[in-house]
Amino acid sequence: MNNEKVTRICREVQRRLEEEHIGCFEGMDQPLFLISNQYPGVWLEHVYDSVFHAMQDPSKLYLAENTLMLFINRQNEEGQLPCYVLDPAKSKAYGNPVGFGQIQECVSFAKLCLMVCRMSGKKELTERCYAACEKWVAWLRKYRMTTGRGLVELFVGFDTGHDNSGRLEGLSHKGNYAEAGKAASAAVLPPNDEVAPVLAVDMNCNFYATLRALSEMAADLGISAEAERWSREAEDVKRLLLTLCYNAEDRFFYDVDKNGNQRKFLSSTVFHLFMEGVLDEARDANVIEGLLAHIRDPREFATPYPYPSMAICDPSCAGHKDFNCWGYYTQGLIALRTTMWMERYGLVEEHELLCRRWVEAWTEHFEELKMGQELDPLTGIPTKSSEWYSSTMLFYLYAARRIGAWKE
């Protein structure tokens, strides 16, 4: 590896992050950490970007705090968090700059709140986050548990953030649901859908982590009875995930349609079981062993440029899109989120390899496409999707430093 070139790229990425990815929306005076020029705002699934940035550089903690408040301040009266908040100056094509048409949480917002609150040490921030996340849980229970199965339900494809994935096959709305040409509220179940409401593995891992985070925030605030209640409720969600979504024969977790049928796609959604801490290393050792067999299999997820958004052996990969496809490509978001789980579950060597492959691929292709959204998991060639993508840049810096290719 050409460490001199890696160092030059890292410095350019640092400059780009500082000069182009920190800024205020029109009419606002609170700086935010921005995604890319292709995305005219901040999506709920990208909140971890600002949190990770603060973890790597504590002087950027204010960006993480501002990002949390960006969403909390726009939470609707019933408790729904926006799926995105856009810069009014750049989002005319979207209509309303605050989106409520899908969930697209992808990483538990409450868990990220807990992380930021503990970094900041501000009791008032913890109180504000606790109240907001409690309302968010109430909204999910009211509108996204319609079949009485005790788990959160997927209504539309954009709920997952897994655009163009095979796991959305059969849904009547693979994006969001529109009424009179406008995105309907995410509280509305599209009529006559043959698949939805779906019990989505990733969404319920997020929900588990949200309940766990509320338990820990309550404990931090000295509300012990509430802490115990949230903890019990989290365990209920875990039990239902194992009962309804786990397939012991396949040793894999699948989404479940409205009729109780498991939807057998080998999706990266299972990474969320680790990422959100659902699985306990001792109590769930057998389940972990089975999942890691899939993750370590080169015919599935351990591709030359790990980890694809769908196991490459899954038949749905044959029809993958040319870009922005969570049904095949290795995603910058997946790579960045590995920092939340791989070491905890003992995948140190695998994480080192991922870091090396990520740096190699983006270093080799830097002149063609600068830090895009995704890579081909077999060739390492990037698609032409969202140049200067925040998650990719953050992970490149982290990975280059970790493997010793860049020393500041």
Side-chain angles (χ1 to χ4, degrees):
M1 188 179 302
N2 185 338
N3 288 1
E4 186 176 326
K5 183 177 181 181
V6 172
T7 296
R8 176 176 60 79
I9 292 172
C10 285
R11 288 172 179 163
E12 188 168 348
V13 168
Q14 282 186 313
R15 181 201 60 77
R16 174 83 190 189
L17 289 172
E18 194 67 32
E19 297 179 4
E20 304 288 339
H21 287 257
I22 298 174
C24 299
F25 288 175
E26 181 183 68
M28 293 176 54
D29 59 5
Q30 297 296 310
L32 299 166
F33 188 65
L34 309 175
I35 302 172
S36 76
N37 290 338
Q38 186 170 320
Y39 293 90
V42 181
W43 266 248
L44 189 58
E45 68 176 344
H46 274 275
V47 174
Y48 183 54
D49 287 9
S50 62
V51 177
F52 183 80
H53 196 33
M55 291 165 63
Q56 300 300 297
D57 179 359
S59 73
K60 298 298 189 293
L61 180 58
Y62 73 98
L63 293 173
E65 293 177 353
N66 290 350
T67 302
L68 297 185
M69 298 314 299
L70 178 75
F71 289 91
I72 289 173
N73 287 337
R74 288 158 183 80
Q75 190 174 27
N76 69 20
E77 290 184 2
E78 289 193 280
Q80 184 185 358
L81 290 167
C83 53
Y84 57 72
V85 181
L86 308 181
D87 184 344
K90 301 177 181 178
S91 59
K92 301 296 189 277
Y94 284 80
N96 191 336
V98 183
F100 289 100
Q102 67 258 15
I103 292 179
Q104 205 165 338
E105 187 177 14
C106 303
V107 178
S108 164
F109 182 74
K111 179 176 181 175
L112 298 177
C113 285
L114 176 66
M115 294 166 67
V116 173
C117 289
R118 287 183 169 172
M119 282 191 281
S120 75
K122 297 175 183 175
K123 182 180 180 182
E124 62 274 18
L125 181 62
T126 305
E127 291 172 337
R128 186 76 187 276
C129 288
Y130 181 77
C133 294
E134 187 174 30
K135 288 179 63 179
W136 175 228
V137 168
W139 185 89
L140 289 168
R141 284 182 168 147
K142 181 175 181 179
Y143 293 107
R144 287 305 189 96
M145 290 186 170
T146 63
T147 55
R149 291 179 283 181
L151 294 178
V152 171
E153 297 160 348
L154 175 156
F155 285 0
V156 296
F158 281 174
D159 279 339
T160 67
H162 284 199
D163 298 13
N164 299 308
S165 172
R167 68 183 286 220
L168 308 180
E169 181 182 317
L171 282 174
S172 61
H173 297 274
K174 293 182 174 65
N176 51 27
Y177 174 52
E179 293 178 332
K182 295 184 179 180
S185 163
V188 178
L189 174 66
N192 305 315
D193 195 299
E194 295 182 2
V195 174
V198 172
L199 305 181
V201 173
D202 45 356
M203 293 174 70
N204 282 287
C205 292
N206 297 345
F207 189 53
Y208 168 88
T210 291
L211 298 171
R212 289 294 314 163
L214 279 164
S215 176
E216 294 193 42
M217 279 192 272
D220 289 350
L221 292 169
I223 318 171
S224 57
E226 290 295 289
E228 292 171 6
R229 176 174 66 86
W230 292 120
S231 182
R232 289 194 301 271
E233 292 177 4
E235 287 304 308
D236 287 341
V237 169
K238 175 177 176 175
R239 176 180 53 79
L240 290 168
L241 260 171
L242 285 161
T243 301
L244 299 174
C245 299
Y246 184 57
N247 186 302
E249 182 178 350
D250 295 352
R251 306 186 81 180
F252 206 79
F253 285 76
Y254 300 113
D255 298 340
V256 177
D257 71 14
K258 68 179 185 180
N259 299 310
N261 302 310
Q262 291 185 339
R263 294 167 54 78
K264 293 195 172 185
F265 295 94
L266 295 173
S267 169
S268 61
T269 183
V270 295
F271 298 167
H272 288 249
L273 290 145
F274 300 101
M275 188 175 80
E276 301 290 17
V278 178
L279 299 175
D280 179 83
E281 294 93 319
R283 285 190 296 148
D284 304 308
N286 184 59
V287 175
I288 290 172
E289 180 185 31
L291 289 177
L292 292 185
H294 289 279
I295 291 171
R296 288 172 165 150
D297 190 335
R299 298 166 298 180
E300 298 187 32
F301 292 103
T303 52
Y305 297 88
Y307 291 93
S309 46
M310 186 75 73
I312 57 169
C313 65
D314 194 284
S316 67
C317 284
H320 73 263
K321 301 292 185 182
D322 292 336
F323 61 90
N324 192 19
C325 178
W326 281 75
Y328 174 66
Y329 294 110
T330 294
Q331 300 286 338
L333 281 166
I334 288 177
L336 186 64
R337 292 170 189 163
T338 62
T339 60
M340 301 179 75
W341 65 274
M342 290 195 80
E343 289 207 13
R344 170 183 168 178
Y345 288 95
L347 282 77
V348 176
E349 290 183 10
E350 290 87 347
H351 199 214
E352 292 277 349
L353 178 61
L354 169 64
C355 289
R356 184 166 295 280
R357 292 290 188 238
W358 199 257
V359 172
E360 288 173 351
W362 287 110
T363 302
E364 179 181 353
H365 296 287
F366 188 70
E367 282 72 26
E368 304 159 38
L369 188 89
K370 292 177 171 56
M371 302 288 149
Q373 183 170 334
E374 60 199 358
L375 296 170
D376 187 293
L378 298 178
T379 67
I381 297 172
T383 72
K384 299 191 182 305
S385 182
S386 192
E387 196 170 42
W388 293 120
Y389 191 65
S390 56
S391 302
T392 297
M393 289 192 285
L394 289 170
F395 191 71
Y396 184 91
L397 293 178
Y398 167 86
R401 187 184 296 113
R402 182 183 177 110
I403 65 174
W406 171 47
K407 297 178 181 179
E408 296 178 81

